[in-house]
Amino acid sequence: MGGEMKTVGEALIDILEANGVDTVFGIPGVHTVELYRGLAASNIRHITPRHEQGAGFMADGYARVSGKPGVCLLITGPGLTNAITAMAQAQQDSVPLLVISGVNARSSLGHGRGRLHELPDQHAMMASFTLMSHTLLDPADLPAVMARAFTILRSGRPGPVHIEIPIDVMSMEIPLPRLLQSPAFLPRADLASVLDLAERCERARNPVILLGGGAVDAAKAVATLAERLDAPVVSTVNARGMLSGHPLSVPASPSLKAMRKLVAEADLVLALGTQMGQTDYGMFADDGFPELDNLVRVDIDAMQLARGPRAVLSILSDVGTLVEDLLTEIGEEKTSSGGRGRAAAARTAAHAELTDKMRAEISILETIRDTLQGAIIVGDSTQAVYAGNLYFEAGRPHGWFNSATGYGALGYAAPASVGASLAEPETQIVCLTGDGGLQFSLAELGSARDAGVRVIFLVWNNDGYREIETYMIEQGIVPEGVKPSAPDFPKIAEAYGISAERLGHVDDLPAALRKARDNGGLALIEIHERKTAGMLD
């Protein structure tokens, strides 16, 4: 500890900077102003959303693209509860979020005296789903608590971490801590497990690799492994784009019959960094994914290995480290066992399973990818995204992610796109959102304008909650509550100073995308499922 004294709020900003934080998201209030005392003098940029849920989703998009924890500063009570949906989405999708909130003064906690923004037990509420929730009762504990938080965020399976600071603690002075970046501790497989897996790989004649979001940062090594094994690679939603365009890549959901057949016929199924949860492996809630007697799972989370499908070999390891270790133990590329042919056949069969409407929607996604090469598409829960989650090859790692997985929140795409753009300012971001979903976070158009980001808001307008309406009809239920009216989205965008247009024909999309990209990258384009000609031809 050094001799200089700083308030807890000032020291907090110093600690964030020392841990590589360059952006924070939040809406300041009386209950957090002391946390802002040192912010203006720092190198950290503050982004103000229009709602705290937007702060959480922005931090999520930032974290997914940057690989660093997304950080929020939120007031106690409603500011924090507004962000719970975003934190729950991050928990389900293994996204590192650090949420620092206020809480009422220490002397008032647990007494229920009707203080402003009071909750009966804010800490207990947050502890129910976060990796860590801590109340900073002693100001001197700040350095140690922050060190623990960052180590948790960087080690093991990521997720949300919450630290609450009582308002009477924020202004207390502590000696300026020694500023060091907190360490990360990633699990690494023991040699016996690596050798066991290497032997299984050498014996396999029909292997298949399943990829989840936990493998996405090891794209190059995974591609080398796939080539060595001549193994088709099936990517779940958060792994799309890892092997973009590779002949072994099968960018289709394991929920499809063709993928299940491919896996069932394999003599080795190697699952890397995937939860094997319902939104990837049982999207239709049919419990039809085959039981496998040759499944090997590699995951960074021991609990996930314990609760997932039974595996003949479970390996606790960071995927990148495991694959690199495995490559040193197996031979060079096998004589072809038909992996590329099996992958091509699986792609064809999976695509054939889709409806004509889905294939038309996927074609539009491919137009976006090919027109804006290197772009990142961030999606909400909307029909075109559902189709893409079933079958779509993103153009790059981290090039396709959305909220139609795990927690399945609406209103995600607009703020998450802002966060993604702040993580990669030179990259074009496309926010793919429905008319229903965008209205959950419509005001974040203003946040995008304020932040100067490169986001094209592509609004997929189908006059309401069409997916739910269709499901109700299929279940013999007269649709109710599925036709919320929508504003004139281009006019709303223009009111925020954002250029906008409504497409007359779907063939105009490439030109509209290029125009938006070339004019600064911030725009809104509306496609209407019925009124835009050529949509579902």
Side-chain angles (χ1 to χ4, degrees):
M1 303 287 282
E4 183 182 355
M5 301 295 288
K6 288 201 171 186
T7 68
V8 165
E10 291 171 322
L12 172 69
I13 299 302
D14 289 341
I15 293 169
L16 292 177
E17 273 199 295
N19 280 279
V21 175
D22 55 26
T23 307
V24 298
F25 305 90
I27 301 174
V30 171
H31 284 62
T32 54
V33 291
E34 283 297 333
L35 300 183
Y36 283 72
R37 185 172 293 279
L39 191 58
S42 75
N43 293 315
I44 297 175
R45 183 179 183 184
H46 184 275
I47 301 296
T48 306
R50 299 306 191 263
H51 189 280
E52 287 91 354
Q53 180 173 285
F57 285 146
M58 286 179 188
D60 178 301
Y62 173 90
R64 294 194 199 220
V65 174
S66 71
K68 301 190 295 185
V71 181
C72 298
L73 297 179
L74 305 176
I75 67 165
T76 183
L80 182 60
T81 56
N82 280 346
I84 284 179
T85 295
M87 296 173 71
Q89 183 78 44
Q91 189 273 335
Q92 287 274 33
D93 279 357
S94 305
V95 178
L97 294 193
L98 174 58
V99 176
I100 301 168
S101 78
V103 71
N104 283 315
R106 291 170 295 177
S107 61
S108 72
L109 297 181
H111 290 290
R113 293 170 178 154
R115 297 295 180 93
L116 180 65
H117 301 331
E118 185 177 62
L119 285 165
D121 192 337
Q122 181 172 283
H123 164 75
M125 176 181 66
M126 303 307 294
S128 69
F129 70 95
T130 56
L131 299 178
M132 164 189 169
S133 181
H134 183 90
T135 306
L136 188 72
L137 299 176
D138 185 342
D141 290 340
L142 178 69
V145 170
M146 293 299 296
R148 182 156 57 99
F150 275 105
T151 294
I152 289 171
L153 286 163
R154 294 174 176 141
S155 307
R157 180 187 173 193
V161 166
H162 169 241
I163 297 171
E164 60 181 16
I165 305 177
I167 56 175
D168 60 319
V169 172
M170 294 178 187
S171 58
M172 292 181 174
E173 291 192 334
I174 61 173
L176 180 66
R178 186 182 179 195
L179 298 176
L180 297 173
Q181 187 171 94
S182 300
F185 302 99
L186 298 176
R188 184 171 188 168
D190 60 273
L191 180 58
S193 295
V194 175
L195 293 176
D196 186 346
L197 179 54
E199 184 179 347
R200 294 173 188 273
C201 290
E202 295 282 7
R203 291 199 309 262
R205 293 294 173 264
N206 260 348
V208 169
I209 298 174
L210 303 175
L211 296 182
V216 70
D217 290 324
K220 186 175 180 180
V222 169
T224 300
L225 177 63
E227 290 165 356
R228 293 253 190 113
L229 301 182
D230 194 30
V233 179
V234 180
S235 52
T236 62
V237 172
N238 288 324
R240 295 289 172 80
M242 282 183 62
L243 277 78
S244 184
H246 196 289
L248 288 170
S249 175
V250 187
S253 170
S255 297
L256 294 171
K257 293 177 182 177
M259 297 302 97
R260 292 173 174 182
K261 181 175 184 292
L262 176 70
V263 169
E265 293 175 349
D267 59 1
L268 173 66
V269 179
L270 180 55
L272 301 176
T274 172
Q275 295 178 9
M276 304 191 77
Q278 185 189 44
T279 51
D280 277 308
Y281 290 82
M283 192 180 296
F284 304 111
D286 58 2
D287 295 321
F289 191 78
E291 291 188 14
L292 303 169
D293 59 8
N294 51 17
L295 174 65
V296 175
R297 295 191 65 192
V298 179
D299 203 279
I300 203 169
D301 182 9
M303 291 298 293
Q304 197 60 44
L305 290 172
R307 67 170 65 101
R310 182 186 62 84
V312 67
L313 177 61
S314 296
I315 301 176
L316 180 65
S317 179
D318 167 66
V319 170
T321 303
L322 182 281
V323 173
E324 293 286 358
D325 289 345
L326 182 60
L327 288 171
T328 66
E329 300 297 337
I330 61 176
E332 294 302 315
E333 186 172 345
K334 290 183 178 180
T335 302
S336 175
S337 59
R340 286 163 172 74
R342 286 189 294 135
R347 288 193 298 269
T348 299
H351 198 261
E353 280 186 56
L354 306 175
T355 65
D356 290 341
K357 181 176 181 295
M358 289 175 180
R359 284 193 285 267
E361 291 164 344
I362 291 165
S363 177
I364 292 173
L365 300 181
E366 291 169 344
T367 295
I368 299 169
R369 177 198 65 202
D370 297 341
T371 302
L372 304 173
Q373 293 188 12
I376 296 171
I377 303 176
V378 182
D380 217 311
S381 293
T382 193
Q383 284 192 316
V385 170
Y386 300 143
N389 283 352
L390 282 172
Y391 191 103
F392 174 62
E393 182 73 285
R396 49 161 283 182
H398 297 293
W400 171 264
F401 59 87
N402 55 76
S403 59
T405 57
Y407 203 58
L410 272 170
Y412 170 85
S417 295
V418 173
S421 184
L422 291 165
E424 282 193 21
E426 302 304 315
T427 297
Q428 183 63 62
I429 311 297
V430 177
C431 168
L432 182 56
T433 181
D435 56 300
L438 181 56
Q439 291 186 77
F440 276 61
S441 51
L442 185 59
E444 302 304 352
L445 293 176
S447 304
R449 177 69 178 178
D450 289 349
V453 294
R454 297 183 59 85
V455 177
I456 299 172
F457 296 91
L458 187 60
V459 183
W460 195 281
N461 192 335
N462 56 19
D463 297 317
Y465 303 131
R466 181 62 62 85
E467 184 76 11
I468 304 304
E469 180 182 7
T470 300
Y471 184 78
M472 294 175 84
I473 292 170
E474 290 173 348
Q475 301 304 310
I477 299 169
V478 177
E480 288 286 352
V482 293
K483 291 289 187 183
S485 60
D488 187 320
F489 290 110
K491 286 184 178 178
I492 294 289
E494 288 167 358
Y496 278 113
I498 298 172
S499 63
E501 66 176 291
R502 182 177 290 113
L503 288 189
H505 196 287
V506 72
D507 290 347
D508 299 333
L509 179 59
L513 292 171
R514 286 192 291 267
K515 177 183 175 183
R517 176 197 62 198
D518 296 342
N519 288 339
L522 178 61
L524 182 143
I525 301 170
E526 181 182 86
I527 296 180
H528 198 285
E529 197 166 277
R530 292 185 299 102
K531 299 175 183 177
T532 299
M535 268 289 288
L536 302 179
D537 293 349

